[in-house]
Amino acid sequence: CHLAHSMRVTIRLFLLLVVTCFIDSGLSLWPIPRSYDAQSGGPVLWFSPDARFIYNTPSPGANATIQRAIVRTRDQLFNNNLIPWMLFPRGTPFEPAKGSGVQLNLVNITQTKPDSPSQEYGQVDESYELSYPVAGGTGIAITAGSSVGVLHALTTLTQLFYAHRY
């Protein structure tokens, strides 16, 4: 009985691995975007450690929550993110040249509607839009209908960037 259970778990993990290998990169983001428009061949984007995060909200009560999320996002981007060396053959240069591309200096976050404290689960507007380029090509814009949408956008932002060794 234990062996049969172990085999089922192994088969499920194998199937999960196979399925994830064939998923479109737009679908590997969480939360799953309704639409995804990625243009390949653009410049390499580097996040400046000094990048400013500006949060504009009609809900002053959400400010502390979003500020803590911004701190977590910065930590994820600069201290805990994946360096994808294991995805390439040994000795292969996988990172763009240092100083190439565009240095991102701004994340402008706009919440378009105030949060309602009485909304039930499933009734909150969780949508967001993450756009580049803004601010002369050195910034990213996040527009969301609620603070929950802002939180989802910050999660997606951390998934779009690898850490680097420089």
Side-chain angles (χ1 to χ4, degrees):
C1 182
H2 177 68
L3 181 61
H5 175 71
S6 177
M7 284 291 282
R8 279 183 269 158
V9 170
T10 302
I11 290 171
R12 285 181 185 153
L13 289 174
F14 176 74
L15 289 175
L16 179 63
L17 177 65
V18 169
V19 168
T20 57
C21 289
F22 294 101
I23 291 178
D24 178 34
S25 63
L27 297 177
S28 62
L29 299 173
W30 183 259
I32 298 172
R34 185 178 315 158
S35 63
Y36 175 73
D37 181 20
Q39 298 177 6
S40 60
V44 174
L45 301 177
W46 299 90
F47 239 105
S48 169
D50 301 322
R52 292 179 305 139
F53 284 71
I54 299 172
Y55 178 47
N56 306 298
T57 178
S59 292
N63 194 31
T65 301
I66 299 302
Q67 293 304 324
R68 286 191 304 271
I70 289 170
V71 169
R72 287 191 307 270
T73 299
R74 292 180 73 81
D75 184 54
Q76 180 68 30
L77 286 169
F78 296 107
N79 300 321
N80 298 316
N81 219 347
L82 170 70
I83 298 177
W85 63 268
M86 67 194 91
L87 304 176
F88 296 88
R90 185 179 294 262
T92 302
F94 60 89
E95 291 186 308
K98 186 176 182 178
S100 65
V102 176
Q103 186 90 1
L104 296 174
N105 297 311
L106 174 68
V107 179
N108 191 18
I109 305 166
T110 303
Q111 181 178 328
T112 58
K113 295 179 268 184
D115 289 334
S116 172
S118 63
Q119 286 181 326
E120 293 182 25
Y121 180 76
Q123 301 300 315
V124 177
D125 179 4
E126 299 181 26
S127 66
Y128 63 91
E129 183 175 316
L130 200 144
S131 305
Y132 169 81
V134 297
T138 63
I140 291 176
I142 293 174
T143 306
S146 70
S147 59
V148 175
V150 171
L151 294 172
H152 288 320
L154 290 171
T155 298
T156 299
L157 186 65
T158 64
Q159 296 169 353
L160 293 174
F161 289 89
Y162 287 122
H164 53 85
R165 296 178 294 174
Y166 305 127

